[in-house]
Amino acid sequence: VGDALPVIEGALREASARVPGGVVVVTGGLGPTLDDRTRDAVAAHFRVPLELDPEILRALEARALARGLPGLAETNRRIALVPNGATKLPNPVGTAPGLELPLGAGVLAVLPGVPREMQAIFDAHLAPRLSLHFEGVVEPMAQFRVMTAGIVESQLAQELEAVVSEVDGIHIAYRPSLEGVEVRISVDPSEVPAGVLASVLLENAVQRALPILAPWRVDGGEEGAFAGAPANGSELAGALLRALHTRGLRVATAESCTGGRVAQKLTSVPGSSRTVLGGVVAYANSVKVEGLGVDPALIEAHGAVSEPVAAAMAEGASRLTGAEVAVGITGIAGPSGGTPEKPVGTVCFGYRLPDGSVVTERKFLPGGRDEIRIRATAHALFRLLRLVGSDGNGAPGAPGSTPSTLPRGGV
Amino acid sequence: VGDALPVIEGALREASARVPGGVVVVTGGLGPTLDDRTRDAVAAHFRVPLELDPEILRALEARALARGLPGLAETNRRIALVPNGATKLPNPVGTAPGLELPLGAGVLAVLPGVPREMQAIFDAHLAPRLSLHFEGVVEPMAQFRVMTAGIVESQLAQELEAVVSEVDGIHIAYRPSLEGVEVRISVDPSEVPAGVLASVLLENAVQRALPILAPWRVDGGEEGAFAGAPANGSELAGALLRALHTRGLRVATAESCTGGRVAQKLTSVPGSSRTVLGGVVAYANSVKVEGLGVDPALIEAHGAVSEPVAAAMAEGASRLTGAEVAVGITGIAGPSGGTPEKPVGTVCFGYRLPDGSVVTERKFLPGGRDEIRIRATAHALFRLLRLVGSDGNGAPGAPGSTPSTLPRGGV
């Protein structure tokens, strides 16, 4: 929906008419600037005036003060305007509250467009409100979510569809990214025959799916440290940290083409300082030599992008930090720098393991610069997880190599 | 729109009816799995059969081969199904093509849901197609886009709205993130009085806005190296690299709480290896000492999160790599580790400048762990840009500190 007032009003009218007695949720347009027109549209739709809310105004003034600003910017006062009759939904992470208004027998909820604010207000206020509104009217969907890595969507689908059939009323949805595939198994209670419990159907399907998913699973399937790693794209890093922490191991990084991305992913997990010691971003060859102690003759003989250099980088990171486990990554992310022998996308990995041995590999990763860096990071984390997680046997992705149990509250 | 066939069909019907002779774009549901039902819905909507396209099939088989798979997964064959009568829109970055079908006098375009594939097909095929379809019917919007950092949305809005008035038919839109605020100034030709050129109106508004935006601007306002830094959230890093490269300077990083994020942002810019030497992720104190040569007595006396330690980290990174410019960051990103004197969100920065001097600062950054790390990274890049970009005078954010000109093709 565009920013023009009549367009927003039209969308409000249309949505209200479409779900009489239902819930309409609007996001965005509650900010301080002239293109933020949602509150005007809501006021016009209900034919009520906008009123300056003293409570919001005080919060805005306090925030301006805390930021060392001379006073509240005039434009920010708009945030304090509330359509008469609206209930405020407090914002746990910002100053613009959400708004709720009765819409016939239904509800109109207005949330800020900034994703983390929208999410926070939804979780804290709107979700409980919706549960209440729909209680006894619709049964919530029963759902089970698993994060996987190291396997492509189509392969996963082929294996899963062999054991979990759609005809049971089960839905399997896949959300692929460069870092892995999220799998959601769900049952829509409205599609389940009378007398059958959706939760029982789901439990049944999940029990059949888990052995298929186990080798690729990287979310909270294990208990203990880092089990609460948030679903912010760091599931893989969380899984590796769990595996390392369980075994009393610490990790270090030596990165060239990924430029700090592996370290950044690992340290994005709360509590990672117990397990991550640090690392070196060795972008220039001189830093590979000075910072990681890589023998210049090795670079001369094999090139900076080579398995021997990746191995020496991992060993250097381990030596520098004292970490038992380390990863070295050197590659060509492009757009320039490729050669016929080592085209853009060539990435070499070295994994220093607790027994002092080093495993190396060379991969070709498709895509542009960003994509190659993301894929290289995810690959390194997944491979290290399998090397460490399977007690040193190191069969990456071998079925059954990670024991997996139903997580608490997973269903 | 949900994944159920009748729901997708209903949405297709409704959209077609809403814009007779117009363009309907559908995204998602073209993947290989059972929840990908868009092509079935399109075939049902047009009452045409799905046919296996031999060209797509060959491409899929070639990709499976290149990946070292034994053969094409059965599920992947679904990707090759095309509704009879559809034109394929080749996918420059994947194997599932987009589809185009005549929709009365209009067009139905079906694109994959994976964002980078959708974008690539849109840019390569659909955008030119739409230009053709709408030529002479609607005039494109005239738009100017600027990326800013170091200033909040409301302050920017207040200053801009003082010189660019909405009554001229000018629209100003803001997209704030933790890293900065994107500002778009646009003119909708349909709102411009007869005889007035939208492009002239825009040029006029942009000329008034530029002096306000100049101190905060971080996009391609300068010419030369890195001017083409992509709009992938690395504008700030690109601006810093441009400023450094112009002055013949190289940069290194020493990161604790940001865990490699600054290095990762800098190296995400194509060509960054000319300017970025590397750095150390000194998460553990031992790595601050061993990797960066920070005096343990300094940590003992002031704590790891302190301005003297941040300064010593920056100096250490410069010494290790030979970079003339370096940044040191140490802070408490949480969720634990805060104290009354140094609560979660306390971050200390050290900036090593080309003359060998070091500037330090201590900031309190609001938000959760991810947010603090993102804010700290953006702050460091912006502050370093101002310290380096203003020829060492170092008035951060002082109006006029970066000369800014209209970029080529900016309007």
Side-chain angles (χ1 to χ4, degrees), chain B residues 399-411:
Chain B
S401 60
T402 11
S404 192
T405 56
L406 255 181
R408 295 157 298 183
V411 174

Side-chain angles (χ1 to χ4, degrees), chain B:
Chain B
V1 178
D3 286 336
L5 207 51
V7 175
I8 306 175
E9 273 191 74
L12 274 177
R13 260 196 313 278
E14 186 183 330
S16 317
R18 193 185 294 195
V19 286
V23 175
V24 173
V25 182
V26 177
T27 68
L30 294 184
T33 59
L34 283 178
D35 61 329
D36 291 311
R37 296 193 174 91
T38 299
R39 58 175 73 77
D40 303 274
V42 169
H45 180 75
F46 289 100
R47 298 168 197 275
V48 295
L50 283 170
E51 287 162 358
L52 205 63
D53 184 281
E55 196 186 29
I56 304 175
L57 203 58
R58 272 197 303 275
L60 291 169
E61 282 165 348
R63 191 184 57 168
L65 216 70
R67 287 192 179 170
L69 298 175
L72 183 61
E74 190 56 34
T75 46
N76 265 343
R77 293 175 66 89
R78 287 178 204 147
I79 296 178
L81 290 173
V82 169
N84 183 281
T87 305
K88 288 173 286 176
L89 305 174
N91 184 336
V93 296
T95 35
L99 302 171
E100 187 193 310
L101 295 105
L103 191 68
V107 172
L108 172 70
V110 185
L111 305 182
V114 179
R116 75 208 147 82
E117 299 191 15
M118 191 269 279
Q119 178 93 48
I121 300 178
F122 185 90
D123 290 343
H125 306 292
L126 195 57
R129 185 74 187 78
L130 296 185
S131 294
L132 203 68
H133 186 79
F134 288 114
E135 198 176 7
V137 181
V138 290
E139 199 187 329
M141 203 125 159
Q143 195 176 65
F144 180 77
R145 177 188 168 279
V146 172
M147 188 67 204
T148 69
I151 182 168
V152 297
E153 182 188 8
S154 55
Q155 221 181 316
L156 205 52
Q158 189 151 17
E159 295 193 28
L160 274 180
E161 287 166 14
V163 298
V164 182
S165 165
E166 292 264 331
V167 293
D168 301 335
I170 307 289
H171 298 285
I172 311 181
Y174 306 84
R175 200 169 61 87
S177 75
L178 296 177
E179 298 176 302
V181 180
E182 183 187 313
V183 180
R184 285 187 312 257
I185 305 176
S186 60
V187 176
D188 185 339
S190 69
E191 297 175 13
V192 171
V196 180
L197 275 175
S199 59
V200 172
L201 261 188
L202 180 65
E203 174 69 23
N204 197 305
V206 167
Q207 288 307 339
R208 273 174 286 156
L210 278 181
I212 306 283
L213 293 166
W216 321 106
R217 188 162 176 196
V218 294
D219 62 0
E222 294 172 49
E223 309 264 324
F226 304 110
N232 62 354
S234 296
E235 287 93 344
L236 193 46
L240 176 57
L241 292 185
R242 274 195 303 280
L244 291 168
H245 187 74
T246 305
R247 291 160 180 79
L249 301 172
R250 296 160 312 162
V251 67
T253 57
E255 303 180 65
S256 184
C257 66
T258 47
R261 195 179 167 88
V262 175
Q264 191 247 306
K265 275 283 173 186
L266 287 172
T267 58
S268 72
V269 179
S272 49
S273 60
R274 286 178 290 182
T275 302
V276 183
L277 293 180
V280 173
V281 178
Y283 218 52
N285 284 346
S286 62
V287 180
K288 293 183 181 76
V289 174
E290 300 297 327
L292 290 166
V294 175
D295 184 351
L298 214 57
I299 299 177
E300 184 68 33
H302 303 279
V305 177
S306 62
E307 290 177 68
V309 169
M313 288 171 67
E315 285 176 316
S318 167
R319 205 166 39 236
L320 177 73
T321 62
E324 297 80 16
V325 172
V327 58
I329 307 181
T330 174
I332 303 156
S336 61
T339 64
E341 299 80 41
K342 294 174 184 174
V344 168
T346 304
V347 183
C348 295
F349 301 85
Y351 307 96
R352 198 271 187 195
L353 302 178
D355 63 2
S357 68
V358 181
V359 172
T360 66
E361 60 179 336
R362 176 176 163 164
K363 296 273 290 180
F364 174 75
L365 304 173
R369 181 180 178 85
D370 286 344
E371 196 171 331
I372 290 167
R373 286 160 48 100
I374 295 170
R375 283 187 199 273
T377 300
H379 177 77
L381 294 174
F382 183 70
R383 185 76 153 104
L384 204 50
L385 173 63
R386 287 299 173 251
L387 285 170
V388 171
S390 50
D391 294 316
N393 293 325
S401 60
T402 11
S404 192
T405 56
L406 255 181
R408 295 157 298 183
V411 174

Side-chain angles (χ1 to χ4, degrees), chain A residues 342-381:
Chain A
K342 294 174 185 173
V344 168
T346 303
V347 183
C348 295
F349 300 84
Y351 308 95
R352 198 272 187 193
L353 302 178
D355 63 2
S357 69
V358 181
V359 173
T360 66
E361 61 180 334
R362 176 176 162 163
K363 295 274 289 181
F364 173 76
L365 305 173
R369 182 181 178 84
D370 286 345
E371 195 170 332
I372 290 167
R373 286 160 48 100
I374 295 170
R375 282 187 198 275
T377 300
H379 177 78
L381 293 174

Side-chain angles (χ1 to χ4, degrees), chain A residues 169-261:
Chain A
I170 307 288
H171 298 283
I172 311 181
Y174 305 84
R175 200 169 61 88
S177 74
L178 296 176
E179 298 176 304
V181 180
E182 182 188 313
V183 180
R184 287 187 310 257
I185 306 176
S186 59
V187 176
D188 184 340
S190 69
E191 297 174 14
V192 170
V196 180
L197 275 177
S199 59
V200 172
L201 261 189
L202 180 66
E203 174 69 23
N204 198 306
V206 167
Q207 289 307 338
R208 274 174 289 155
L210 278 181
I212 306 282
L213 292 166
W216 320 106
R217 187 163 176 195
V218 294
D219 62 0
E222 295 171 49
E223 309 262 325
F226 304 109
N232 63 354
S234 296
E235 288 92 343
L236 192 47
L240 176 57
L241 292 185
R242 276 196 301 280
L244 291 167
H245 188 73
T246 305
R247 290 159 182 80
L249 301 172
R250 296 160 310 162
V251 67
T253 56
E255 301 180 67
S256 184
C257 67
T258 47
R261 195 180 166 87

Side-chain angles (χ1 to χ4, degrees), chain A residues 107-134:
Chain A
V107 172
L108 172 70
V110 185
L111 306 181
V114 178
R116 73 208 148 82
E117 298 190 15
M118 190 269 279
Q119 179 94 48
I121 300 179
F122 184 90
D123 291 343
H125 306 292
L126 195 56
R129 185 73 188 76
L130 295 186
S131 294
L132 203 69
H133 186 80
F134 288 114

